[in-house]
């Protein structure tokens, strides 16, 4: 029978693809933003956020501090890559959010599974893009029409299994024109950074976290994760399966309190703490915490084996990302 033997979660911020001296380039979008999300649901512009914070994160954006944090993130990612290799899995289920990459506003399912034989990455011309975006696109495998193997039979079994368990799941089977639409950063980052040179088949779960009105609650994501686990367990062929959550934690304003709430729940296996995170705390970039919650639901709330947390500030006002990394070894589960 198929069995989940390994699980992980990883941030996928573009900062993780860049030299820290270039993080200031990513910060330029924060200075211009009118929608910097707080965990109480408020959206502020940068001057408002700076006034609220008092600029107290100035020391966090000195180059030595940024380099220290970049090194910590790189070490965490190296550990996840080594753990994934050691797990010797046959397929990886990646839980990610699609941000106008494969799906658009003309068709945006709350949750879908891709069951094609090949994943084709979305790419578009780089003319006029700043250097940091060109570099990030390479880190996301979005610099060309890269093709990665899918796992069609398992994906179809998961779709049928979820439908049989009263989960209304969307589906997609092909990428017709990768210049217009294809797979995006949530999937490309995991493949490029954690797979190394290995061609591991992937079953992508595409969760709409960013775009109301059809964003699932934290409780619903956790419960669907349990149904994903049941559907995988019911698949008769012997397969070693990994499930990896891609994204999060808090951003575009770092909220260490929210991040620690999530990580503490992960470390002790507190399912109810994850299920009860309110919608207003899961807006904009912080919505990617839902990817983690769904993946953890597939682990029945099993406590993590290891976690790492690095708050990556990039402006004095506190914008950036709460970069988290975690793994679960499930051989005895």
């Amino acid at each position: 029978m198929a069995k989940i033997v390994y699980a992980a979660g990883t941030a996928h911020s573009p900062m993780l693809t860049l030299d820290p001296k270039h993080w200031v380039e990513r910060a330029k979008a924060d200075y211009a933003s009118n929608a910097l999300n707080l965990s109480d649901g408020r959206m502020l512009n940068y001057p408002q956020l700076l006034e609220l914070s008092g600029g107290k994160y100035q020391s966090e954006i000195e180059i030595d501090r940024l380099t220290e944090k970049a090194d910590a993130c790189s070490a965490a990612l190296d550990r996840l890559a080594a753990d994934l290799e050691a797990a010797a899995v046959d397929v990886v289920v990646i839980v990610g959010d699609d941000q106008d990459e494969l799906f658009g506003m003309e068709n945006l399912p709350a949750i879908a599974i891709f069951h094609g034989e090949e994943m084709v990455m979305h790419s578009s011309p780089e003319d006029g893009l700043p250097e940091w975006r060109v570099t990030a696109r390479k880190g996301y495998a979005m610099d060309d029409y890269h093709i990665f193997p899918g796992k069609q039979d398992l994906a179809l079994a998961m779709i049928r299994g979820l439908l049989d368990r009263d989960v209304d799941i969307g589906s997609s089977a092909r990428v017709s024109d990768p210049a217009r639409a294809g797979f995006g950063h949530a999937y490309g980052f995991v493949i490029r950074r954690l797979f190394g040179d290995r061609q591991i088949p992937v079953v992508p779960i595409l969760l709409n976290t960013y775009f109301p009105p059809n964003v699932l609650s934290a409780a619903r994501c956790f419960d669907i994760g349990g149904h994903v686990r049941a559907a995988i367990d019911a698949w008769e062929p012997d397969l070693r399966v990994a499930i990896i959550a891609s994204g999060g934690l808090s951003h575009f304003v770092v909220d260490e309190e929210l991040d620690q709430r999530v990580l503490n729940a992960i470390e002790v296996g507190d399912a109810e703490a994850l299920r009860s995170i309110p919608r207003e705390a899961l807006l904009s970039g912080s919505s990617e915490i839902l990817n983690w919650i769904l993946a953890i639901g597939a682990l029945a709330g099993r406590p993590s084996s290891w976690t790492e947390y690095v708050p990556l500030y990039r402006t004095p006002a506190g914008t950036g990302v709460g970069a988290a990394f975690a793994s679960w070894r499930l051989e005895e589960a």
Side-chain angles (χ1 to χ4, degrees), residues 3-181:
K3 182 179 181 182
I4 299 175
V5 298
Y6 177 74
T10 178
H12 62 220
S13 168
M15 296 166 75
L16 300 178
T17 71
L18 303 173
D19 187 289
K21 68 184 179 183
H22 293 141
W23 288 2
V24 66
E25 296 299 317
R26 174 62 185 86
K28 290 179 180 178
D30 300 332
Y31 295 125
S33 178
N34 291 312
L36 298 171
N37 54 298
L38 302 185
S39 295
D40 59 7
R42 284 181 292 166
M43 295 285 182
L44 306 181
N45 61 31
Y46 186 81
Q48 290 170 329
L49 182 65
L50 183 61
E51 181 178 4
L52 182 67
S53 69
K56 65 181 180 180
Y57 300 102
Q58 179 64 49
S59 63
E60 293 291 325
I61 63 172
E62 301 297 331
I63 188 60
D64 288 347
R65 185 69 171 136
L66 298 183
T67 300
E68 175 187 342
K69 291 187 174 186
D71 290 345
C73 289
S74 183
L77 288 164
D78 287 345
R79 174 170 178 159
L80 291 182
D83 287 350
L84 179 61
E85 182 175 15
V89 299
D90 302 304
V91 60
V92 177
V93 176
I94 300 178
V95 185
D97 53 305
D98 186 75
Q99 293 179 30
D100 198 25
E101 292 153 335
L102 183 62
F103 297 124
M105 297 309 294
E106 70 277 4
N107 179 26
L108 185 60
I111 182 172
I113 290 178
F114 183 81
H115 60 95
E117 294 182 352
E118 294 181 333
M119 298 171 53
V120 185
M121 299 302 296
H122 177 44
S123 188
S124 56
E126 295 181 345
D127 297 344
L129 288 180
E131 182 181 353
W132 75 267
R133 284 192 176 274
V134 174
T135 301
R137 282 160 58 93
K138 293 178 181 177
Y140 289 146
M142 295 178 68
D143 56 321
D144 203 347
Y145 305 136
H146 297 288
I147 298 175
F148 302 112
K151 183 62 175 164
Q152 188 175 56
D153 51 359
L154 178 60
L156 288 170
M158 289 170 61
I159 291 169
R160 289 191 294 266
L162 288 170
L163 291 172
D164 288 346
R165 292 166 176 82
D166 298 326
V167 178
D168 297 325
I169 187 80
S171 70
S172 178
R174 69 177 61 88
V175 173
S176 299
D177 180 5
R180 185 185 64 83

Side-chain angles (χ1 to χ4, degrees), residues 8-11 76 80 245 247-250 254-271 273-275 277 282 289 292-293 296 301-312 321-328:
T10 178
L80 291 182
L249 294 179
S250 66
V254 179
D255 185 336
E256 293 194 44
E257 182 177 348
L258 172 63
D259 294 340
Q260 290 299 335
R261 175 180 175 183
V262 173
L263 288 169
N264 290 341
I266 287 171
E267 289 167 355
V268 301
D270 188 344
L274 295 173
R275 295 180 80 257
I277 297 175
L282 299 171
I289 292 171
W292 286 63
I293 293 173
I296 295 165
R302 183 181 175 94
S304 61
S305 307
W306 165 81
T307 61
E308 181 70 77
Y309 177 68
V310 187
L312 302 180
V321 59
F325 313 90
S327 63
W328 290 255

